[in-house]
Amino acid sequence: MATFLHRVAHWAFRRRRTVVLVWVAVLAAVFLGAVNSSEAPEDSASLPGIESQQAFDLLDERFPGTEADGAEARVVFVAADGQQVTSTANRSAVDTLVDEVADGPQVAGATSPFDAHAVSEDASTAYATITYRTTADDLTEASKEALTEAVERARDAGLTVEVGGSALETEPAQGIGEVLGILVAAVVLLITFGSLAAAGLPLLTAVLGVGISLATITALGSALGFSSTVGELAMMLGLAVGIDYSLFVVSRYREERAKGHQAQEAAALAVGTAGSAVVFAGLTVVIALLGLSVVGVPTLTKMGVGSAGTVLVGVLIALTAVPALLGFWPDAVLPRRGREGPRRTRGRRPGRFGRNRNSSGNSNGKGTTPAGTARTPWGVRWARFVTRRPVAVLLLTVVGLGALAVPSLNLRMGMPGAESKPTTTTERRAYDALADGFGPGFNGPLTVVVDVKGADDPAAAVTGVSDRLAGTGGIVSVSPPHFNAAKDTAVVSAVPSTGPASERTQDLVRTIRDERPAIESATGAEFQVTGTTALNIDVGRKMQDALVPYLAVVVGLAFLLLMVVFRSILVPVKAALGFLLSVGAALGAIVTVFQEGHGAGFFGVEETGPIMSTMPVFLVGIVFGLAMDYQVFLVSRIREAHIHGEQPGQAVVTGFRHSAQVVGAAALIMMAVFGGFMTGGESMVKMVGFGLASAVFFDAFVVRMAFVPAVLALLGKRAWWLPGRLDRLLPRVDVEGEALTRRALVPNNASGDDDRRESVTV
């Protein structure tokens, strides 16, 4: 692997104009494809294999011409203090609105609150239901404007009018996540490298990769069903991994230049070593993303495929575009005080393994700092501290992360609705008004689809089902049945006494389904329960059932990959255990803030509730791939030092000397990118940004910086043990570049101008 990538980088450096032109051509081609492509589809809510989806499918079949998930507007009227909506003036304003909206385009029906008995007991609140013949995404601006204008006229009459439902759903406020992430990344890179060029190159290549990936996703959106959500996730991950992968290659390039190698050979060695780590780190991310298909949710599968493609583009750019750009500005990325260093060392022969004596500030091989040299790096000091006290550090790490993970045991999953929106939105105000006027359960009615195709008396069968539902504890009302044209299917709405996010409501849905066999036997009708609350329960259960198989597939494949990379059994085991600790702590932090509300105000969370159903699986998939990035980059440097003859403890220190600062910078960049998405107004986006940022923090700064060196120090040489038979079976990929160090060129023969000499070395 290292030798092959060494050749690739040599070629990219020599043919840098060709490489850059190819990438620019690719960007132009996919951009043209995106411009001429069909409009991307909206996110599909289809979830095959759950009862709620089966009920929606039955509604589509039995009620032709209408959409089971058609747009709906629930217009809520609240009278002024001391007044009633049933007063003559208020009633006239309500009826006027309903009549105006009923004649609007795309409207299937408009029900007056006075005809549907949709008035609260104290007559302070009422609501009208407006249904449309199409989905909210297909509503025209004319339809929305007609409803908005009617609402404004009702407000002018003295009523408080708010609109819930999907018809006028407001778009969440857009944050500055991408901009903030790039700005923070630029600052971190500038501090890390001390060079504008070195800081700008990873940003440039990351933006190039994201541009190509987003344009490709847009171009293929119609054919493959990629929605805008796929592009948003791809952009978030593309920025994070694109910057990191280029960062590691540039950092290694600077290190090789400091050893005395000329630009082309330094770029080739950087790609051969750090690039090998990039390849396998990228593969772990791809495995985690493609593994989302195991969950069985089409939307997650598409998100995984699109994001995996983005990661692959980032890897290819790091291996080809980065060395090509280094060829244009070979000295610009070096620190100012080191730009003359390579010229002064020309002609000197590197020491053993291609290294100059004192090239790392280390003349005796024991990690000490000679007099007159720079201060010992913080990574070295920290590694020495950990390796001297591995038991204490390990216990503190495990106990600390375990304590943070405890709240995750109380995890409740659901899909946040209008209750999680800011109070500045009309949906949230409508939600609160309905809860005040009719009770909390009014915002989460259960839709019961009754199939009476095989019943002798369909009307009596539906009545029997409605009566049994009304007699169930926790149900406050059941609406009159609505039959289809064939009179073989009816829909009734059952209002629970508790809110849609309440555990008692979830228990109620389970109770109704548990009692279904007896009800069906007594009435001769079959029924299914759907609606937002039931859908949330079904999705949550599907996610829980899929989590263990998903973990098994992803962790199993990654274990095999890491075993090939590190030629060890215990190192992959340690990586998996550390990952579980970081994910558990991140889930615990999410539950603490977004479910239990501790510190919610600090993060701008206005309403707490259940955690988004897809969040645990999503978090596991994304964070596993990113965590393995740090695992590969950090431990590969430790193993490189070990196979070059250093003792296990000193190998840990050497690995930290070369990679701790870069891994820390990479983690800060990822945290900035993910944390920047918390600036948006959508609660779910905030939850995703917070979860990913906290998981990266726990994994990079606690697990990789404390747990990993402590475990390696305790295991010693046993960490790199591999059974002989397995050692013979596994392919050798040489991530550390051992083959390159054996063939290292004398620096003055690696200038890149003598193609004959280069061909000999590779």
Side-chain angles (χ1 to χ4, degrees):
M1 172 66 74
T3 303
F4 170 74
L5 294 180
H6 187 269
R7 295 193 186 103
V8 169
H10 261 299
W11 175 84
F13 193 100
R14 290 197 308 269
R15 305 287 185 262
R16 46 190 173 272
R17 291 180 177 82
T18 300
V19 172
V20 172
L21 286 175
V22 167
W23 279 113
V24 172
V26 170
L27 178 61
V30 295
F31 178 77
L32 289 176
V35 170
N36 297 314
S37 65
S38 303
E39 186 177 354
E42 296 296 329
D43 290 320
S44 172
S46 176
L47 294 170
I50 62 175
E51 179 176 326
S52 299
Q53 184 63 49
Q54 294 169 356
F56 277 128
D57 295 340
L58 182 61
L59 285 173
D60 285 335
E61 176 188 344
R62 301 291 177 84
F63 290 82
T66 62
E67 294 275 357
D69 55 349
E72 179 185 84
R74 181 173 282 183
V75 185
V76 184
F77 307 91
V78 181
D81 292 341
Q83 297 184 19
Q84 295 180 329
V85 291
T86 53
S87 67
T88 302
N90 288 336
R91 181 166 186 150
S92 175
V94 172
D95 287 338
T96 299
L97 181 147
V98 173
D99 292 340
E100 290 178 352
V101 174
D103 296 331
Q106 298 181 298
V107 175
T111 306
S112 170
F114 309 112
D115 296 334
H117 307 290
V119 181
S120 63
E121 291 185 5
D122 61 1
S124 65
T125 309
Y127 68 91
T129 302
I130 317 297
T131 56
Y132 292 85
R133 292 188 296 268
T134 186
T135 63
D137 298 324
D138 294 329
L139 279 182
T140 63
E141 288 301 319
S143 296
K144 296 179 180 180
E145 288 178 5
L147 177 57
T148 302
E149 292 172 358
V151 167
E152 289 300 328
R153 283 190 287 271
R155 287 173 176 165
D156 292 339
L159 287 169
T160 297
V161 186
E162 305 295 348
V163 184
S166 58
L168 293 184
E169 187 172 8
T170 55
E171 292 294 328
Q174 296 298 315
I176 55 172
E178 302 90 337
V179 176
L180 180 62
I182 292 176
L183 289 177
V184 174
V187 172
V188 172
L189 289 170
L190 187 59
I191 294 174
T192 302
F193 287 137
S195 164
L196 285 174
L201 194 150
L203 292 175
L204 175 64
T205 54
V207 171
L208 172 65
V210 168
I212 290 173
S213 301
L214 288 181
T216 303
I217 289 172
T218 303
L220 299 177
S222 179
L224 300 181
F226 289 154
S227 67
S228 59
T229 304
V230 176
E232 290 172 4
L233 176 62
M235 177 173 59
M236 184 166 61
L237 283 178
L239 282 175
V241 302
I243 293 173
D244 281 3
Y245 293 164
S246 297
L247 166 65
F248 283 107
V249 173
V250 172
S251 176
R252 189 62 183 253
Y253 169 81
R254 285 157 54 102
E255 183 181 328
E256 297 300 333
R257 289 296 301 276
K259 295 175 183 177
H261 292 291
Q262 293 301 305
Q264 181 168 333
E265 181 64 12
L269 289 172
V271 174
T273 52
S276 297
V278 165
V279 170
F280 284 95
L283 284 177
T284 58
V285 180
V286 169
I287 288 173
L289 291 170
L290 294 182
L292 289 172
S293 59
V294 175
V295 179
V297 177
T299 300
L300 282 179
T301 300
K302 293 172 185 176
M303 291 169 68
V305 171
S307 300
T310 302
V311 173
L312 288 178
V313 171
V315 171
L316 291 175
I317 285 178
L319 300 180
T320 57
V322 170
L325 292 174
L326 289 173
F328 286 106
W329 302 284
D331 294 339
V333 299
L334 301 179
R336 186 177 302 274
R337 64 177 179 273
R339 292 179 188 175
E340 296 300 324
R343 298 185 180 91
R344 288 196 301 266
T345 57
R346 183 171 297 175
R348 288 174 55 187
R349 186 180 186 88
R352 191 184 178 194
F353 308 126
R355 303 181 183 184
N356 284 323
R357 189 175 178 86
N358 290 337
S359 64
S360 299
N362 184 351
S363 64
N364 55 14
K366 297 180 181 180
T368 58
T369 304
T373 62
R375 185 185 177 202
T376 304
W378 68 265
V380 173
R381 298 196 303 272
W382 173 252
R384 289 173 181 166
F385 173 83
V386 174
T387 53
R388 290 168 185 163
R389 305 165 182 84
V391 175
V393 172
L394 182 61
L395 288 177
L396 185 61
T397 301
V398 172
V399 172
L401 292 178
L404 290 172
V406 169
S408 65
L409 299 176
N410 299 321
L411 174 69
R412 289 193 299 113
M413 292 194 292
M415 292 300 291
E419 76 281 0
S420 65
K421 291 181 176 292
T423 54
T424 54
T425 62
T426 187
E427 298 101 311
R428 172 62 185 277
R429 294 194 296 267
Y431 179 97
D432 292 340
L434 284 173
D436 293 338
F438 296 92
F442 231 81
N443 288 297
L446 306 178
T447 301
V448 181
V449 184
V450 187
D451 184 357
V452 290
K453 207 168 189 177
D456 297 332
D457 187 347
V462 172
T463 300
V465 172
S466 297
D467 292 342
R468 294 292 290 270
L469 290 174
T472 303
I475 296 291
V476 297
S477 65
V478 177
S479 70
H482 172 60
F483 280 89
N484 65 341
K487 302 297 182 183
D488 60 1
T489 308
V491 178
V492 297
S493 180
V495 178
S497 60
T498 50
S502 171
E503 290 185 82
R504 291 172 59 188
T505 305
Q506 296 181 9
D507 294 338
L508 173 63
V509 172
R510 296 189 185 96
T511 298
I512 293 173
R513 288 174 171 173
D514 290 341
E515 295 177 352
R516 177 165 44 199
I519 298 175
E520 291 180 342
S521 177
T523 61
E526 298 179 354
F527 70 89
Q528 294 173 316
V529 183
T530 186
T532 303
T533 303
L535 180 65
N536 290 342
I537 294 172
D538 293 343
V539 172
R541 184 174 300 166
K542 187 177 182 68
M543 295 298 103
Q544 285 180 332
D545 293 342
L547 186 57
V548 173
Y550 175 62
L551 271 173
V553 170
V554 172
V555 175
L557 290 175
F559 179 88
L560 294 176
L561 185 63
L562 292 176
M563 189 165 59
V564 171
V565 172
F566 296 118
R567 310 198 68 77
S568 165
I569 291 179
L570 296 180
V571 169
V573 170
K574 169 208 43 94
L577 292 177
F579 159 74
L580 293 176
L581 283 172
S582 58
V583 166
L587 279 176
I590 293 172
V591 170
T592 299
V593 174
F594 289 87
Q595 182 176 304
E596 298 177 354
H598 302 297
F602 178 79
F603 295 102
V605 180
E606 297 188 12
E607 188 72 23
T608 59
I611 304 304
M612 184 172 58
S613 297
T614 55
M615 184 65 192
V617 170
F618 182 80
L619 184 73
V620 166
I622 303 301
V623 174
F624 184 83
L626 299 180
M628 293 305 104
D629 276 1
Y630 305 128
Q631 169 72 14
V632 172
F633 288 127
L634 180 61
V635 180
S636 63
R637 293 306 300 264
I638 296 174
R639 186 174 186 272
E640 179 180 349
H642 178 68
I643 64 176
H644 288 164
E646 294 188 11
Q647 293 300 311
Q650 180 56 35
V652 171
V653 175
T654 301
F656 268 68
R657 174 189 299 278
H658 293 297
S659 58
Q661 182 180 11
V662 180
V663 168
L668 288 175
I669 290 170
M670 281 198 177
M671 289 173 61
V673 172
F674 296 145
F677 283 82
M678 293 185 65
T679 61
E682 184 65 43
S683 176
M684 288 187 289
V685 176
K686 288 183 178 182
M687 187 182 301
V688 171
F690 175 84
L692 292 176
S694 59
V696 168
F697 172 79
F698 293 135
D699 193 89
F701 293 107
V702 181
V703 171
R704 305 304 154 194
M705 295 294 179
F707 177 84
V708 167
V711 171
L712 291 178
L714 288 173
L715 291 176
K717 294 183 178 180
R718 294 186 298 273
W720 312 107
W721 172 78
L722 187 69
R725 180 175 297 181
L726 196 57
D727 184 53
R728 291 188 294 271
L729 290 175
L730 293 179
R732 295 185 178 274
V733 295
D734 189 21
V735 175
E736 299 80 12
E738 185 178 3
L740 297 179
T741 58
R742 290 197 301 263
R743 307 179 188 182
L745 278 172
V746 177
N748 64 337
N749 288 338
S751 63
D753 298 326
D754 189 345
D755 290 348
R756 179 183 58 81
R757 290 183 182 273
E758 290 167 8
S759 63
V760 173
T761 65
V762 296

